[in-house]
C-alpha cells in the first residue's frame, strides 16, 4: 500500500503506560513526537518496549529516559520533520534501584536486530546528547537489570 510510510512520527514515551498516573494530561501534552524509521519502530524499539512492560507488570517500577540524537550539521532553519533531517540515533536509559542499562539505536538498524546488542555506555549518550542523566549521582550499570530485560550477559 503506497499510503503506508516507511518512517512515521512516534512518541518517545509509551503513553499508555501512564494511563493511571495523575500526570497523564501533562505527559500527553509534553511527550516527544519524532520521526522514526519503520525498521526500528517495529523492530528493536518495540521489542524493548514490550520487555519493559513485562518487567514492570511482574516486578517493580522502572525509570526511563528516551530521546532522539541529532547530528547537528544542518542549517538551523531546517525543519525537524524534513525528510533529510531525521535523528541519526535514538536512546533509551532504563533504571531502577540497582542501577541502569543504556541503549542506543542507529536510524539504520535492522528490523530483526536484537535490542540487547544496542547496549552502550551511559557516557556515550551523555556526550552525544549534552545531557547529564543522573546529576550528582554515580549509578552503576546493572547486569541484573539487563538480564531481567531478556539480555544474557
Amino acid at each position: 500500500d503506497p499510503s503506508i510510510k516507511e518512517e512515521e512520527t512516534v512518541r518517545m514515551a509509551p503513553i499508555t503506560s501512564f494511563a493511571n498516573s495523575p500526570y497523564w494530561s501533562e505527559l500527553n501534552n509534553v511527550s516527544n513526537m519524532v520521526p522514526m524509521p519503520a525498521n526500528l519502530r517495529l523492530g528493536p524499539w518495540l521489542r524493548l518496549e514490550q520487555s519493559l512492560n513485562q518487567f514492570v507488570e511482574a516486578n517493580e517500577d522502572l525509570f526511563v529516559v528516551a530521546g532522539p540524537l541529532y547530528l547537528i550539521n544542518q542549517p538551523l532553519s531546517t525543519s525537524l520533520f524534513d525528510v533529510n533531517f531525521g535523528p541519526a540515533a535514538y536512546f533509551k536509559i532504563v533504571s531502577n534501584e540497582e542501577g541502569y542499562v543504556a541503549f542506543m539505536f542507529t536510524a539504520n538498524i535492522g528490523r530483526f536486530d536484537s535490542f540487547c546488542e544496542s547496549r552502550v555506555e551511559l557516557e556515550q549518550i551523555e556526550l552525544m546528547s549534552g545531557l547529564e542523566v543522573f546529576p550528582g549521582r554515580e549509578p552503576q550499570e546493572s547486569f541484573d537489570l539487563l538480564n531481567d530485560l531478556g539480555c544474557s550477559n
Side-chain angles (χ1 to χ4, degrees), residues 35-93:
M36 183 179 282
N39 280 345
L40 175 56
R41 181 173 44 84
L42 300 173
W45 190 268
L46 176 62
R47 287 189 296 280
L48 177 55
E49 290 289 327
Q50 291 169 337
S51 182
L52 294 172
N53 288 338
Q54 289 172 352
F55 180 88
V56 170
E57 281 181 27
N59 295 288
E60 59 189 76
D61 292 339
L62 289 174
F63 303 93
V64 178
V65 178
L69 294 168
Y70 290 92
L71 297 178
I72 306 300
N73 59 1
Q74 298 289 327
L76 292 177
S77 61
T78 303
S79 167
L80 292 180
F81 294 102
D82 183 310
V83 295
N84 298 316
F85 187 67
Y90 303 80
F91 71 90
K92 190 169 291 245
I93 302 163

Side-chain angles (χ1 to χ4, degrees), residues 4-148:
I4 296 175
K5 298 177 185 174
E6 278 300 304
E7 186 172 286
E8 295 182 8
T9 57
V10 297
R11 291 189 193 278
M12 297 283 20
I15 298 300
T16 55
S17 297
F18 299 95
N20 292 327
S21 167
Y23 306 108
W24 162 259
S25 62
E26 289 89 349
L27 179 66
N28 193 41
N29 289 332
V30 301
S31 64
N32 246 358
M33 294 292 286
V34 296
M36 183 179 282
N39 280 345
L40 175 56
R41 181 173 44 84
L42 300 173
W45 190 268
L46 176 62
R47 287 189 296 280
L48 177 55
E49 290 289 327
Q50 291 169 337
S51 182
L52 294 172
N53 288 338
Q54 289 172 352
F55 180 88
V56 170
E57 281 181 27
N59 295 288
E60 59 189 76
D61 292 339
L62 289 174
F63 303 93
V64 178
V65 178
L69 294 168
Y70 290 92
L71 297 178
I72 306 300
N73 59 1
Q74 298 289 327
L76 292 177
S77 61
T78 303
S79 167
L80 292 180
F81 294 102
D82 183 310
V83 295
N84 298 316
F85 187 67
Y90 303 80
F91 71 90
K92 190 169 291 245
I93 302 163
V94 181
S95 69
N96 62 9
E97 295 298 322
E98 293 179 17
Y100 72 90
V101 179
F103 299 93
M104 184 168 50
F105 305 93
T106 60
N108 63 353
I109 195 167
R111 184 172 296 195
F112 301 103
D113 291 351
S114 169
F115 69 84
C116 300
E117 295 173 14
S118 295
R119 187 178 60 81
V120 296
E121 297 293 326
L122 178 64
E123 292 79 19
Q124 186 176 355
I125 294 171
E126 289 180 326
L127 182 64
M128 291 183 71
S129 67
L131 297 173
E132 184 179 354
V133 180
F134 300 106
R137 295 177 48 210
E138 292 189 29
Q140 299 297 312
E141 187 170 23
S142 173
F143 293 102
D144 288 340
L145 178 57
L146 184 64
N147 190 51
D148 289 342

